[in-house]
Amino acid sequence: MKVKGIELRRIAMPLKAPFRTSFGVEYARDILLLRVETPDGEGWGECVAMSEPRYNCEYVDGAAEVLRRFLIPALPDHVTAATVATALEPFKGHRMAKAALESALLDAQLRAGGESFASYLGAVRDRVPSGVSVGIMDSIPELLDAVEGFVAEGYLRIKLKIAPGWDITPIAAVRERFGDALLLQADANAAYTLADARHLEQLDPFGLLFIEQPLADDDLVQHAHLARRLATPVCLDESIESAAHAAAAISLGACSVVNIKPGRVGGYLEARRIHDLCRAHGIAVWCGGMIETGIGRAANVALAALPGFTLPGDTSASSRYYATDITAPFALDNGHLSVPTGPGTGVEPLPDVLAEVTTSTEWITV
Ligand code: SMG
Ligand code: MG
C-alpha cells in the first residue's frame, strides 16, 4: 500500500459526567485521530493516549510529536498493517502512537479490500457482551444509584474503580444491594503495594471475577506474590505492554486474567498475539477500554469477538460517556454490542459532528 499522507486531527469530546480513577479525574476526552490517505481510499485510527501521562507514560501531545517527528517519516514506500510494526521497531515504546498508526493503515487496507476488522482478526461472534466501568464516587448512595442505572440499561458486568479509602466498603455495598449473581470486578490502576496484601484479602469474600492491576506496572514479581495470597484472581492491565510481557506474567504466575487494550500493546496485531498466547495457556482475556469514540470502539468490538475473549469487556455503548459520538452510536442490545460487518472498522466519522469537536488538524505528506 502506498500512503500519500496522514492527517492528525485533535478533537475535544465532553464527557456526560466526570470519571474518577485512582490516578485522576477526566472531565473531557482529548483525542488524537489519524486519517491515512492512499490512492485507493482512506483509513481512520484513534490514539488512546490521555491528555496527561497518568494512566501510563504516554500523553496526547507526546503521541502527536512522536508520530510527526519519527513514526510517520519512517514509513516505507510500500507498507501494510502487517509490516508497519517492524518499520517502527527502531523507536522504543510509544505503543499508543504506534497502535493508532497501525490501526489507520489496517482500516485503509481493509476498506480497499472490502474486508472487515472482525473477519481479518478472526472473529467468531457477531455480538459481544458489554460491561461498564464505574468511577470512584463521593458517596456509597451515589455509587449504588449509578450501578442501578447501568444494570437497568442491561450491562452484563460491573467494574468498580477502587483506590485506598474506596475499596472494601463500596464493593461490599454493591454486592449486598445487587446480589451474588452480578458479575463484579474491581480495577485499582496500580494504586496499592504488596504491603497492602492483608488489606486486599478482605475482598476475597465478595466473589469478584478478579482484581485488575492492583500493584505498579512494573511489579510483575510482586503481582505473583499477591496472586498466591489472594483468593480473588489477579488480572493485569498496565503491566502488559506486549506479548513478551504476557509470556513473562504467565510464567511467573502473576495473573490468571489479562485485559487486552490494543492501544496499550502497540496495535491490533500484537493484541491478537496476546490473545493467542493467553488462549494457549488457559488465561482468560477481555477487551479493555480507553473511553474511545465510535472509531476505536468499532475496532475493539471486532477484537472482542475472537474466541479467547471469554469475559465481558469494557466495550460499553457510546452513550456511557458521550451525548453525541462522532460515528453512528454503538447501542446496547440485551447487554451486547453488534460487531460491525462493513469494510475496515465498518464505521465512519459523521462530518458535521467531527467538524464541531475538532480543535486542530495537521497534514503530513508521506
Ligand atoms: O472505555 O469504558 C472505558 C474505560 C474503561 O476503566 C476503564 N479504563 O484502567 O481499564 C482502565 C481504564 C483506563 C482509562 S481510565 C480514564
Ligand atoms: Mg484497567
Side-chain angles (χ1 to χ4, degrees):
M1 196 165 58
K2 175 103 190 69
V3 177
K4 292 202 276 192
I6 297 179
E7 180 185 76
L8 304 185
R9 179 181 288 257
R10 229 19 205 271
I11 63 172
M13 299 279 289
L15 298 186
K16 284 164 76 175
F19 185 62
R20 180 185 295 274
T21 66
S22 65
F23 60 79
V25 192
E26 307 299 322
Y27 298 92
R29 192 73 174 88
D30 166 21
I31 298 175
L32 175 66
L33 298 176
L34 269 62
R35 186 176 61 83
V36 167
E37 240 180 72
T38 79
D40 300 318
E42 59 181 30
W44 288 86
E46 176 168 344
C47 181
V48 302
M50 323 266 319
S51 309
E52 298 184 3
R54 293 176 182 272
Y55 163 79
N56 71 1
C57 63
E58 293 190 71
Y59 61 105
V60 190
D61 286 335
E65 176 64 4
V66 78
L67 278 158
R68 73 166 73 83
R69 186 154 166 210
F70 299 108
L71 305 183
I72 294 174
L75 290 179
D77 284 345
H78 289 277
V79 65
T80 66
T83 60
V84 65
T86 310
L88 304 181
E89 213 173 346
F91 305 103
K92 305 287 186 194
H94 297 283
R95 290 178 166 90
M96 291 176 169
K98 290 175 176 175
L101 183 50
E102 186 199 87
S103 304
L105 291 166
L106 180 56
D107 188 41
Q109 180 180 322
L110 294 177
R111 275 175 204 274
E115 189 179 10
S116 69
F117 257 62
S119 153
Y120 175 84
L121 291 172
V124 295
R125 286 186 279 267
D126 57 13
R127 56 181 210 150
V128 300
S130 288
V132 63
S133 177
V134 184
I136 293 169
M137 306 268 167
D138 290 332
S139 70
I140 298 291
E142 197 185 334
L143 174 70
L144 294 177
D145 282 352
V147 172
E148 182 167 27
F150 290 128
V151 169
E153 279 184 64
Y155 284 104
L156 298 171
R157 175 278 273 158
I158 299 292
K159 154 165 141 179
L160 298 190
K161 289 293 196 179
I162 60 169
W166 183 264
D167 44 26
I168 317 298
T169 310
I171 296 281
V174 168
R175 243 316 161 239
E176 196 196 351
R177 168 78 171 273
F178 299 95
D180 290 343
L182 179 74
L183 298 182
L184 184 63
Q185 65 199 48
D187 186 0
N189 287 109
Y192 297 91
T193 73
L194 192 53
D196 299 310
R198 187 188 294 272
H199 177 73
L200 294 173
E201 279 171 8
Q202 296 176 75
L203 290 173
D204 284 346
F206 300 111
L208 299 182
L209 286 168
F210 51 77
I211 179 171
E212 178 179 346
Q213 198 68 42
L215 312 180
D217 308 17
D218 52 2
D219 275 359
L220 273 193
V221 171
Q222 291 88 333
H223 275 106
H225 287 302
L226 184 66
R228 283 193 283 275
R229 296 250 326 239
L230 301 184
T232 306
V234 171
C235 167
L236 291 176
D237 174 357
E238 287 91 326
S239 289
I240 308 296
E241 295 186 344
S242 65
H245 289 172
I250 294 169
S251 320
L252 286 167
C255 64
S256 48
V257 180
V258 171
N259 166 335
I260 301 185
K261 288 177 183 165
R264 195 193 65 225
V265 305
Y268 284 85
L269 300 187
E270 188 72 357
R272 185 172 59 183
R273 282 189 282 274
I274 296 174
H275 158 274
D276 294 348
L277 175 80
C278 288
R279 190 162 180 241
H281 283 270
I283 298 285
V285 304
W286 57 284
C287 185
M290 291 296 287
I291 316 185
E292 287 90 348
T293 70
I295 293 180
R297 198 163 300 273
N300 283 349
V301 168
L303 180 74
L306 266 62
F309 285 77
T310 53
L311 294 166
D314 281 344
T315 42
S316 39
S318 298
S319 63
R320 160 70 183 93
Y321 295 106
Y322 301 121
T324 311
D325 204 339
I326 59 168
T327 64
F330 278 85
L332 282 191
D333 177 11
N334 261 321
H336 291 73
L337 295 187
S338 297
V339 179
T341 53
T345 58
V347 300
E348 276 108 46
L350 302 165
D352 292 354
V353 183
L354 189 62
E356 213 164 285
V357 296
T358 297
T359 55
S360 69
T361 60
E362 175 182 348
W363 174 257
I364 301 172
T365 303
V366 172

